[in-house]
Amino acid sequence: MLLKYIPLALICYCISGFSQEKISLVYTGNMGVYLSNKESSVLIDGLHTRYGDDYLFPSAKIIDTLLTQLQPDAILFTHYHRDHFSASLAADYLTTNTKAVLLGPNQVTREIKKFKDRTFSIATNNYIKQTIKVKDLKITGVKIDHAGKRHFSVENVGYIINFKTKNILHIGDTNWMEDIRLFDQLDLSKEKIDIAILPYWMLLQTDASQLIKKHMNPKQVIATHISPRIKQQELQDIKKQYPEIHFLTTLEEKLHL
């Protein structure tokens, strides 16, 4: 009788294993994250240099680890600001890792002239999503306006990375921008987001929880871009308000999602 149940048990085991895909995250400073499912990997906003005391930046050790050990298949940049993007470090990475590709808005890709065959520009003239396949990943880029009126001309791009069974959203330096109904236009709630990586200031709005659920509806939220000079009491107060959210504050911090 037991033999009758072996095929079903095997099927259940396979389904369980498939649905339990784990994503590893390594924090590299500001909004920089390395994401991997062991088969494929991406680095988002992870190659940048010192910008000021309010920003975390990857150390020489982290940069070396990225170049020689972690070796992401794709390096993604949300925008060209120096706390997110370094043209020289990006070029060094593409030189060292000859199969890697780079994605970013035109203000980023135009700085990487030597590697035109391995750079992909995400258009920012509208909110149409653009998808590129890299190994077994589907990477979708879309314009998501940069926060702050003084940054109106900055081309900011958000990404949805599909790791087989999980979709991870990274939105760069934006805010709710309800005056232009930004997230209504993006229609991200249909994308089945598992993990949303947001700048922490989006949590400061009183109805942030409702907005996250309405516009993204992720299973997990990770907060980034937290100044190393933030007052500890302020940080603790925000953490108490959002106990289910993980706040990245320490370089090389690792999560298993």
Side-chain angles (χ1 to χ4, degrees):
M1 291 293 292
L2 184 60
L3 291 174
K4 292 183 181 180
Y5 298 96
I6 289 177
L8 179 59
L10 286 173
I11 291 170
C12 291
Y13 176 80
C14 291
I15 292 173
S16 175
F18 187 68
S19 65
Q20 295 300 314
E21 178 186 29
K22 289 293 184 182
I23 306 298
S24 298
L25 178 151
V26 180
Y27 181 50
T28 65
N30 293 338
M31 290 200 77
V33 290
Y34 167 86
L35 302 164
S36 173
N37 68 349
K38 294 186 178 179
E39 296 177 19
S40 303
S41 57
V42 299
L43 177 69
I44 310 174
D45 284 355
L47 295 173
H48 51 90
T49 56
R50 184 177 180 84
Y51 188 57
D53 292 338
D54 281 320
Y55 305 91
L56 284 172
F57 59 96
S59 64
K61 174 178 173 284
I62 293 174
I63 297 296
D64 183 67
T65 299
L66 289 166
L67 263 67
T68 62
Q69 297 179 39
L70 298 178
Q71 298 183 332
D73 300 300
I75 52 175
L76 284 50
F77 297 97
T78 59
H79 61 292
Y80 75 96
H81 282 164
R82 287 190 295 127
D83 54 325
H84 294 257
F85 168 67
S86 163
S88 60
L89 288 178
D92 287 347
Y93 185 80
L94 294 176
T95 299
T96 302
N97 296 276
T98 57
K99 293 183 180 180
V101 298
L102 180 149
L103 281 71
N106 182 62
Q107 289 175 343
V108 166
T109 57
R110 71 187 182 191
E111 300 294 322
I112 313 294
K113 298 175 183 178
K114 184 180 175 182
F115 302 95
K116 289 185 178 180
D117 59 327
R118 290 194 281 140
T119 60
F120 299 89
S121 296
I122 305 299
T124 57
N125 56 320
N126 54 45
Y127 298 103
I128 294 176
K129 300 177 179 71
Q130 302 137 72
T131 300
I132 296 167
K133 191 165 184 181
V134 179
K135 292 181 68 174
D136 64 342
L137 300 175
K138 284 196 297 184
I139 302 173
T140 298
V142 62
K143 171 187 175 179
I144 302 183
D145 301 66
H146 196 290
K149 291 183 179 179
R150 69 190 180 97
H151 295 305
F152 176 78
S153 63
V154 175
E155 298 172 352
N156 187 73
V157 167
Y159 295 98
I160 302 167
I161 301 96
N162 172 250
F163 282 93
K164 290 184 179 177
T165 63
K166 287 188 178 179
N167 288 322
I168 300 179
L169 171 69
H170 186 294
I171 60 177
D173 278 4
T174 192
N175 214 330
W176 292 111
M177 295 194 185
E178 293 173 287
D179 56 329
I180 62 169
R181 300 182 64 188
L182 173 61
F183 283 89
D184 287 321
Q185 297 187 73
L186 292 169
D187 202 16
L188 294 171
S189 60
K190 293 181 180 178
E191 299 295 333
K192 297 181 180 179
I193 303 299
D194 293 287
I195 301 160
I197 300 171
L198 316 176
Y200 88 100
W201 57 74
M202 293 183 75
L203 303 174
L204 302 181
Q205 190 161 314
T206 54
D207 59 346
S209 293
Q210 293 91 329
L211 290 171
I212 290 170
K213 183 172 180 58
K214 175 184 176 182
H215 292 299
M216 304 173 205
N217 197 27
K219 297 173 184 174
Q220 297 182 65
V221 175
I222 296 172
T224 61
H225 221 322
I226 300 163
S227 170
R229 298 203 298 180
I230 191 171
K231 293 180 180 178
Q232 285 305 303
Q233 187 58 54
E234 179 184 350
L235 181 58
Q236 291 307 314
D237 289 344
I238 300 171
K239 286 183 175 182
K240 285 179 183 177
Q241 188 176 354
Y242 299 99
E244 73 284 1
I245 291 179
H246 195 98
F247 291 76
L248 293 174
T249 56
T250 306
L251 288 173
E252 296 186 83
E253 187 171 352
K254 296 178 177 64
L255 300 177
H256 296 286
L257 307 166

